Amino acid sequence: MTICFDIGGSAIKAAIASPQGEIHPFARVATPLDDFEAFVRALADLRQQGAAGQGDGVALSITGVVDPRSQIITCANIPCLDGRRLAPDLAERLGVRVHVANDADCFALAEAVRGAGRGHRIVFGIIIGTGIGGGVVIDGRILAGAGGFAGEWGHGPVAATEAGDPPVAIPRFACGCGQKGCVDTVGGARGLERLHRHLTGDECESTEIISAWRAGDAAAARTVACQVDLVASPLALAVNIVGADIVPVGGGLASVPELIARLDEAVRRRILRQSGEPLLVPSLLAPEPGLIGAALLVHQGERP
Protein backbone atom coordinates (compact mmCIF):
# COMPACT_ATOMS: atom_id res chain seq x y z
CA MET A 1 0.00 0.00 0.00
CA THR A 2 1.08 3.56 -0.59
CA ILE A 3 -0.16 7.12 -0.28
CA CYS A 4 -1.29 9.27 -3.19
CA PHE A 5 -2.21 12.93 -3.18
CA ASP A 6 -4.31 15.09 -5.48
CA ILE A 7 -2.98 18.61 -4.98
CA GLY A 8 -4.71 21.74 -6.16
CA GLY A 9 -4.51 25.40 -5.31
CA SER A 10 -7.18 25.04 -2.62
CA ALA A 11 -6.83 21.57 -1.13
CA ILE A 12 -4.72 18.45 -0.79
CA LYS A 13 -6.73 15.23 -1.02
CA ALA A 14 -5.08 12.07 0.29
CA ALA A 15 -5.85 8.39 -0.27
CA ILE A 16 -4.40 4.99 0.51
CA ALA A 17 -3.78 3.14 -2.75
CA SER A 18 -3.25 -0.50 -3.62
CA PRO A 19 -0.75 -1.59 -6.31
CA GLN A 20 -3.73 -2.16 -8.62
CA GLY A 21 -4.77 1.48 -8.39
CA GLU A 22 -7.66 0.97 -5.97
CA ILE A 23 -7.98 4.00 -3.71
CA HIS A 24 -9.44 4.73 -0.29
CA PRO A 25 -9.63 8.52 0.31
CA PHE A 26 -9.17 9.45 3.93
CA ALA A 27 -8.35 13.15 4.32
CA ARG A 28 -8.57 16.62 2.80
CA VAL A 29 -6.60 19.62 4.06
CA ALA A 30 -5.91 23.14 2.83
CA THR A 31 -2.90 23.50 0.53
CA PRO A 32 -0.06 25.61 2.01
CA LEU A 33 0.62 28.03 -0.83
CA ASP A 34 3.58 30.14 0.29
CA ASP A 35 5.53 27.99 2.74
CA PHE A 36 7.38 24.93 1.43
CA GLU A 37 8.16 23.65 4.94
CA ALA A 38 4.46 23.76 5.77
CA PHE A 39 3.72 21.93 2.52
CA VAL A 40 6.20 19.16 3.39
CA ARG A 41 4.78 18.87 6.92
CA ALA A 42 1.26 18.54 5.50
CA LEU A 43 2.30 15.62 3.29
CA ALA A 44 4.31 13.98 6.08
CA ASP A 45 1.40 14.27 8.52
CA LEU A 46 -1.05 12.85 6.00
CA ARG A 47 1.30 10.00 5.19
CA GLN A 48 1.60 9.13 8.86
CA GLN A 49 -2.16 9.45 9.28
CA GLY A 50 -2.66 7.01 6.45
CA ALA A 51 -0.48 4.45 8.21
CA ALA A 52 1.36 3.69 5.00
CA GLY A 53 4.86 4.43 6.13
CA GLN A 54 6.05 1.05 4.86
CA GLY A 55 4.71 1.65 1.35
CA ASP A 56 6.54 1.78 -1.95
CA GLY A 57 6.41 5.53 -2.36
CA VAL A 58 4.35 8.67 -2.59
CA ALA A 59 2.57 9.86 -5.73
CA LEU A 60 1.31 13.36 -6.46
CA SER A 61 -1.24 14.41 -9.02
CA ILE A 62 -0.74 18.15 -9.10
CA THR A 63 -1.77 21.32 -10.85
CA GLY A 64 1.21 22.55 -12.88
CA VAL A 65 3.62 21.12 -15.42
CA VAL A 66 6.64 18.94 -14.62
CA ASP A 67 9.63 18.92 -16.97
CA PRO A 68 10.52 15.21 -17.37
CA ARG A 69 14.26 15.95 -17.75
CA SER A 70 14.93 18.55 -15.08
CA GLN A 71 11.98 17.49 -12.85
CA ILE A 72 11.35 21.21 -12.27
CA ILE A 73 7.70 22.09 -11.79
CA THR A 74 5.97 25.20 -13.11
CA CYS A 75 3.12 25.74 -10.67
CA ALA A 76 1.74 29.27 -10.52
CA ASN A 77 -1.16 28.27 -8.27
CA ILE A 78 1.18 27.10 -5.48
CA PRO A 79 4.06 29.63 -5.33
CA CYS A 80 6.15 27.69 -2.80
CA LEU A 81 6.50 24.84 -5.32
CA ASP A 82 7.08 26.86 -8.47
CA GLY A 83 10.56 26.32 -9.94
CA ARG A 84 11.48 23.46 -7.58
CA ARG A 85 12.76 20.01 -8.48
CA LEU A 86 9.73 18.80 -6.61
CA ALA A 87 10.12 15.01 -6.71
CA PRO A 88 13.79 14.99 -5.56
CA ASP A 89 13.14 17.68 -2.92
CA LEU A 90 10.22 15.77 -1.45
CA ALA A 91 12.02 12.42 -1.67
CA GLU A 92 14.86 13.84 0.41
CA ARG A 93 12.48 15.23 3.03
CA LEU A 94 10.09 12.30 3.22
CA GLY A 95 12.67 9.54 2.86
CA VAL A 96 10.76 7.69 0.16
CA ARG A 97 10.59 7.70 -3.61
CA VAL A 98 8.22 10.35 -4.93
CA HIS A 99 6.33 10.30 -8.24
CA VAL A 100 4.91 13.59 -9.54
CA ALA A 101 2.67 14.16 -12.57
CA ASN A 102 0.36 16.84 -13.90
CA ASP A 103 -3.26 16.39 -12.82
CA ALA A 104 -4.56 16.21 -16.40
CA ASP A 105 -1.98 13.52 -17.17
CA CYS A 106 -3.13 11.58 -14.12
CA PHE A 107 -6.74 11.99 -15.26
CA ALA A 108 -5.84 10.64 -18.71
CA LEU A 109 -3.90 7.72 -17.22
CA ALA A 110 -6.74 6.78 -14.90
CA GLU A 111 -9.31 6.88 -17.70
CA ALA A 112 -7.02 4.95 -20.06
CA VAL A 113 -6.31 2.13 -17.62
CA ARG A 114 -9.50 1.88 -15.60
CA GLY A 115 -12.08 4.20 -17.13
CA ALA A 116 -13.69 5.23 -20.41
CA GLY A 117 -10.50 4.65 -22.40
CA ARG A 118 -9.92 1.10 -21.23
CA GLY A 119 -9.05 -1.17 -24.13
CA HIS A 120 -7.95 1.69 -26.38
CA ARG A 121 -4.32 2.13 -27.39
CA ILE A 122 -4.17 5.94 -27.70
CA VAL A 123 -6.25 7.91 -25.20
CA PHE A 124 -6.42 11.71 -25.21
CA GLY A 125 -7.97 12.69 -21.88
CA ILE A 126 -9.22 16.27 -21.74
CA ILE A 127 -10.39 18.55 -18.96
CA ILE A 128 -13.12 21.11 -19.62
CA GLY A 129 -13.48 22.64 -16.20
CA THR A 130 -12.52 26.08 -14.96
CA GLY A 131 -10.13 26.05 -17.93
CA ILE A 132 -8.80 23.60 -20.48
CA GLY A 133 -6.28 20.79 -19.97
CA GLY A 134 -5.32 17.44 -21.36
CA GLY A 135 -2.99 14.47 -21.36
CA VAL A 136 -2.02 11.71 -23.79
CA VAL A 137 -1.64 8.06 -22.81
CA ILE A 138 -0.20 5.54 -25.28
CA ASP A 139 -0.20 1.82 -24.46
CA GLY A 140 -1.09 2.62 -20.87
CA ARG A 141 1.78 5.09 -20.33
CA ILE A 142 1.72 8.86 -20.04
CA LEU A 143 3.35 10.67 -22.94
CA ALA A 144 5.43 13.23 -21.04
CA GLY A 145 6.83 15.14 -24.02
CA ALA A 146 9.41 17.93 -24.14
CA GLY A 147 9.00 20.21 -21.15
CA GLY A 148 6.11 18.08 -19.89
CA PHE A 149 3.61 19.85 -22.15
CA ALA A 150 2.24 16.93 -24.19
CA GLY A 151 -1.55 17.11 -24.38
CA GLU A 152 -1.79 20.80 -23.47
CA TRP A 153 -4.15 21.61 -26.33
CA GLY A 154 -5.61 24.59 -24.47
CA HIS A 155 -2.60 26.83 -25.03
CA GLY A 156 -0.98 28.42 -28.04
CA PRO A 157 -2.66 31.08 -30.21
CA VAL A 158 -5.01 28.72 -32.01
CA ALA A 159 -8.55 29.99 -31.32
CA ALA A 160 -10.46 31.46 -34.27
CA THR A 161 -11.27 35.18 -34.40
CA GLU A 162 -14.91 34.62 -35.34
CA ALA A 163 -17.51 32.01 -34.51
CA GLY A 164 -21.18 31.16 -34.75
CA ASP A 165 -23.77 31.28 -37.53
CA PRO A 166 -23.88 34.01 -38.66
CA PRO A 167 -20.25 34.62 -37.61
CA VAL A 168 -19.46 37.15 -34.91
CA ALA A 169 -16.01 38.62 -34.19
CA ILE A 170 -14.23 37.20 -31.13
CA PRO A 171 -11.26 39.08 -29.62
CA ARG A 172 -7.96 37.34 -29.02
CA PHE A 173 -8.30 37.38 -25.24
CA ALA A 174 -5.14 37.51 -23.14
CA CYS A 175 -4.27 34.18 -21.50
CA GLY A 176 -2.59 33.45 -18.19
CA CYS A 177 0.18 31.60 -20.07
CA GLY A 178 1.32 34.94 -21.52
CA GLN A 179 -0.10 34.50 -25.02
CA LYS A 180 -3.30 35.71 -26.65
CA GLY A 181 -6.01 33.73 -28.39
CA CYS A 182 -5.58 30.45 -26.51
CA VAL A 183 -8.43 27.96 -26.39
CA ASP A 184 -8.21 28.23 -22.61
CA THR A 185 -9.54 31.81 -22.84
CA VAL A 186 -12.80 30.74 -24.50
CA GLY A 187 -13.15 27.10 -23.40
CA GLY A 188 -14.15 25.90 -19.97
CA ALA A 189 -16.37 27.65 -17.46
CA ARG A 190 -14.48 30.94 -17.31
CA GLY A 191 -14.26 30.98 -21.10
CA LEU A 192 -18.03 30.47 -21.38
CA GLU A 193 -18.58 33.41 -19.03
CA ARG A 194 -16.10 35.57 -20.96
CA LEU A 195 -17.80 34.79 -24.27
CA HIS A 196 -21.26 35.50 -22.86
CA ARG A 197 -20.08 38.84 -21.50
CA HIS A 198 -18.58 39.73 -24.88
CA LEU A 199 -21.69 38.69 -26.83
CA THR A 200 -24.39 40.05 -24.51
CA GLY A 201 -22.77 42.44 -22.04
CA ASP A 202 -24.22 40.37 -19.18
CA GLU A 203 -22.21 39.07 -16.23
CA CYS A 204 -23.40 35.50 -15.64
CA GLU A 205 -21.90 32.43 -14.05
CA SER A 206 -21.37 29.41 -16.26
CA THR A 207 -24.06 27.47 -14.40
CA GLU A 208 -26.57 30.22 -15.15
CA ILE A 209 -25.64 30.24 -18.84
CA ILE A 210 -26.01 26.46 -19.10
CA SER A 211 -29.37 26.55 -17.29
CA ALA A 212 -30.62 29.30 -19.61
CA TRP A 213 -29.42 27.34 -22.66
CA ARG A 214 -31.24 24.24 -21.46
CA ALA A 215 -34.38 26.34 -20.99
CA GLY A 216 -34.23 27.57 -24.59
CA ASP A 217 -32.82 31.06 -24.05
CA ALA A 218 -31.61 32.43 -27.40
CA ALA A 219 -28.72 34.48 -26.01
CA ALA A 220 -27.36 31.55 -24.02
CA ALA A 221 -27.74 29.30 -27.06
CA ARG A 222 -25.71 31.77 -29.11
CA THR A 223 -22.94 31.74 -26.50
CA VAL A 224 -22.83 27.94 -26.33
CA ALA A 225 -22.81 27.66 -30.12
CA CYS A 226 -19.87 30.07 -30.33
CA GLN A 227 -17.93 28.19 -27.66
CA VAL A 228 -18.45 24.84 -29.40
CA ASP A 229 -17.37 26.39 -32.70
CA LEU A 230 -14.21 27.88 -31.16
CA VAL A 231 -13.21 24.75 -29.23
CA ALA A 232 -14.06 22.05 -31.78
CA SER A 233 -11.49 22.98 -34.44
CA PRO A 234 -8.35 23.00 -32.24
CA LEU A 235 -9.57 19.86 -30.49
CA ALA A 236 -10.05 18.15 -33.86
CA LEU A 237 -6.54 19.21 -34.85
CA ALA A 238 -5.16 17.69 -31.64
CA VAL A 239 -7.06 14.44 -32.27
CA ASN A 240 -5.69 14.27 -35.82
CA ILE A 241 -2.14 14.80 -34.57
CA VAL A 242 -2.12 12.24 -31.73
CA GLY A 243 -4.41 9.73 -33.47
CA ALA A 244 -6.59 9.26 -30.40
CA ASP A 245 -8.95 6.28 -30.34
CA ILE A 246 -11.13 7.93 -27.71
CA VAL A 247 -11.31 11.21 -25.79
CA PRO A 248 -12.59 10.91 -22.19
CA VAL A 249 -13.79 14.27 -20.88
CA GLY A 250 -13.58 15.45 -17.28
CA GLY A 251 -14.11 18.71 -15.45
CA GLY A 252 -17.20 20.66 -14.48
CA LEU A 253 -18.63 21.15 -17.97
CA ALA A 254 -18.24 17.43 -18.65
CA SER A 255 -21.23 16.99 -16.35
CA VAL A 256 -23.42 18.64 -19.01
CA PRO A 257 -24.10 15.72 -21.38
CA GLU A 258 -25.84 17.88 -24.01
CA LEU A 259 -22.78 20.10 -24.26
CA ILE A 260 -20.35 17.20 -24.63
CA ALA A 261 -22.60 15.59 -27.24
CA ARG A 262 -22.70 18.87 -29.19
CA LEU A 263 -18.92 19.20 -29.00
CA ASP A 264 -18.42 15.55 -29.98
CA GLU A 265 -20.55 16.01 -33.08
CA ALA A 266 -18.65 19.17 -34.05
CA VAL A 267 -15.25 17.51 -33.55
CA ARG A 268 -16.17 14.39 -35.53
CA ARG A 269 -17.23 16.58 -38.46
CA ARG A 270 -13.73 18.10 -38.47
CA ILE A 271 -11.42 15.10 -38.03
CA LEU A 272 -9.99 12.93 -40.80
CA ARG A 273 -11.05 9.59 -39.30
CA GLN A 274 -14.78 9.27 -39.90
CA SER A 275 -16.82 7.28 -37.41
CA GLY A 276 -20.43 7.00 -36.41
CA GLU A 277 -19.43 6.22 -32.82
CA PRO A 278 -18.90 8.94 -30.19
CA LEU A 279 -15.30 10.09 -29.82
CA LEU A 280 -15.73 12.38 -26.82
CA VAL A 281 -17.15 10.42 -23.90
CA PRO A 282 -17.77 11.36 -20.26
CA SER A 283 -15.24 10.29 -17.64
CA LEU A 284 -16.16 7.12 -15.80
CA LEU A 285 -14.02 7.74 -12.73
CA ALA A 286 -15.42 10.95 -11.23
CA PRO A 287 -14.91 12.31 -8.65
CA GLU A 288 -11.32 11.09 -8.01
CA PRO A 289 -9.49 10.37 -11.29
CA GLY A 290 -6.45 12.33 -10.10
CA LEU A 291 -5.98 10.08 -7.09
CA ILE A 292 -6.50 6.97 -9.20
CA GLY A 293 -3.97 8.19 -11.76
CA ALA A 294 -1.46 8.97 -9.01
CA ALA A 295 -1.88 5.47 -7.57
CA LEU A 296 -1.26 3.99 -11.01
CA LEU A 297 1.99 5.96 -11.29
CA VAL A 298 3.43 4.05 -8.35
CA HIS A 299 2.17 0.72 -9.66
CA GLN A 300 3.87 1.37 -13.02
CA GLY A 301 7.04 2.78 -11.49
CA GLU A 302 6.30 5.84 -13.62
CA ARG A 303 8.16 9.10 -13.29
CA PRO A 304 7.09 11.39 -16.14
Side-chain angles (χ1 to χ4, degrees):
M1 306 298 282
T2 190
I3 292 286
C4 54
F5 300 102
D6 189 357
I7 300 174
S10 299
I12 299 172
K13 294 185 286 186
I16 298 173
S18 74
Q20 291 73 37
E22 297 171 349
I23 63 162
H24 305 279
F26 67 87
R28 178 188 178 105
V29 300
T31 304
L33 299 179
D34 300 306
D35 185 340
F36 184 65
E37 296 302 325
F39 182 84
V40 173
R41 284 197 302 273
L43 296 193
D45 290 347
L46 287 169
R47 186 165 177 262
Q48 183 175 16
Q49 182 180 338
Q54 307 305 313
D56 298 327
V58 168
L60 279 64
S61 165
I62 191 166
T63 179
V65 176
V66 181
D67 187 309
R69 291 187 178 180
S70 68
Q71 298 188 56
I72 291 174
I73 187 170
T74 301
C75 187
N77 290 349
I78 310 175
C80 69
L81 306 184
D82 192 45
R84 284 187 174 273
R85 297 182 71 240
L86 186 58
D89 285 355
L90 289 177
E92 181 180 354
R93 298 299 191 91
L94 298 176
V96 68
R97 187 176 183 189
V98 175
H99 310 256
V100 179
N102 168 262
D103 52 2
D105 286 341
C106 285
F107 164 80
L109 179 62
E111 288 295 329
V113 175
R114 295 187 57 198
R118 190 171 183 175
H120 294 271
R121 179 171 178 261
I122 302 177
V123 177
F124 182 28
I126 66 171
I127 305 294
I128 305 180
T130 300
I132 297 292
V136 180
V137 174
I138 300 175
D139 294 330
R141 297 276 175 170
I142 294 170
L143 176 65
F149 292 102
E152 287 291 347
W153 66 286
H155 293 281
V158 291
T161 55
E162 63 177 25
D165 185 17
V168 60
I170 305 294
R172 300 185 72 78
F173 297 110
C175 183
C177 75
Q179 302 189 84
K180 291 183 178 180
C182 293
V183 180
D184 194 73
T185 66
V186 292
R190 299 295 83 80
L192 187 67
E193 294 163 1
R194 185 178 290 111
L195 280 174
H196 195 70
R197 183 167 58 249
H198 170 71
L199 294 170
T200 69
D202 294 334
E203 293 279 354
C204 297
E205 294 186 1
S206 60
T207 51
E208 297 174 306
I209 299 167
I210 293 297
S211 294
W213 172 52
R214 283 171 156 169
D217 180 80
R222 175 74 159 159
T223 299
V224 169
C226 284
Q227 185 182 56
V228 169
D229 205 13
L230 289 165
V231 170
S233 291
L235 181 51
L237 175 62
V239 170
N240 280 344
I241 291 171
V242 303
D245 302 320
I246 195 165
V247 182
V249 187
L253 290 184
S255 64
V256 184
E258 309 97 310
L259 180 61
I260 300 307
R262 179 78 64 87
L263 183 58
D264 172 64
E265 181 183 2
V267 170
R268 284 192 288 124
R269 285 200 308 267
R270 290 164 166 85
I271 61 174
L272 294 174
R273 179 175 66 89
Q274 297 301 303
S275 172
E277 297 297 320
L279 176 68
L280 276 66
V281 296
S283 162
L284 293 183
L285 299 178
E288 303 296 357
L291 286 170
I292 294 171
L296 290 169
L297 289 178
V298 177
H299 174 51
Q300 294 182 347
E302 189 86 51
R303 188 172 65 186

